[in-house]
Amino acid sequence: MTNIADEQCVQATTWKRDGTPVMTVIWPITWGDDGTKVAFLTPIPSGKAKRLRHTPRVKLQPSDWDGFPIQGRPPVEGSVELVEGEERDRVFAAIVAKYGQDAWDAAMGRGREYFASRGIEYTGDYAVIVTPDA
């Protein structure tokens, strides 16, 4: 079976306090000494980060670049840990190695424009480390 982090694009589902699911697209990488974890970045002021702080669970579904699930590819659910500092920097480096600096810069430019248009200060990113359920 292919590791979910080998996918180019993944739909990540997080949950609001009332249980409403929210789907967003993330760029996953393989993480951990044994390669069984998944990691991605999310801006600290994002709704995704807020949802993960109160409900540290995520469902990851292989998707296309627009976030539409790819049929026949199973989802992965797991618990999350939000990290900063050196581990966050290592996750960032691995994402850039997989996707390229230009792609990352373009995505981050759009993200920062989104926050600025809403009067939200961009304050950096969390690395989200996902430990899949057994």
Side-chain angles (χ1 to χ4, degrees):
M1 183 165 96
T2 303
N3 184 329
I4 191 93
D6 293 337
E7 300 288 342
Q8 286 294 306
C9 216
V10 171
Q11 179 193 75
T13 302
T14 55
W15 291 271
K16 293 181 178 182
R17 290 183 191 273
D18 69 2
T20 303
V22 179
M23 284 74 72
T24 56
V25 175
I26 58 110
W27 294 1
I29 58 162
T30 301
W31 198 248
D33 293 336
D34 59 2
T36 60
K37 296 182 181 185
V38 178
F40 61 93
L41 294 177
T42 194
I44 291 170
S46 70
K48 186 183 315 128
K50 179 180 178 182
R51 292 186 297 275
L52 289 171
R53 283 193 297 269
H54 72 71
T55 306
R57 302 270 314 150
V58 69
K59 177 177 147 185
L60 303 174
Q61 172 71 49
S63 71
D64 64 19
W65 288 100
D66 293 320
F68 293 102
I70 297 172
Q71 299 304 315
R73 298 247 185 85
V76 172
E77 294 191 40
S79 59
V80 303
E81 176 186 5
L82 302 175
V83 299
E84 297 179 85
E86 289 182 23
E87 188 168 14
R88 178 253 173 236
D89 294 345
R90 289 192 307 272
V91 168
F92 172 76
I95 288 172
V96 169
K98 180 176 178 180
Y99 295 96
Q101 185 68 52
D102 289 343
W104 181 254
D105 289 346
M108 286 308 298
R110 287 190 305 276
R112 288 185 178 142
E113 288 172 10
Y114 171 86
F115 289 120
S117 72
R118 288 160 175 73
I120 300 169
E121 181 184 0
Y122 171 79
T123 56
D125 300 306
Y126 285 125
V128 181
I129 310 301
V130 181
T131 302
D133 295 341

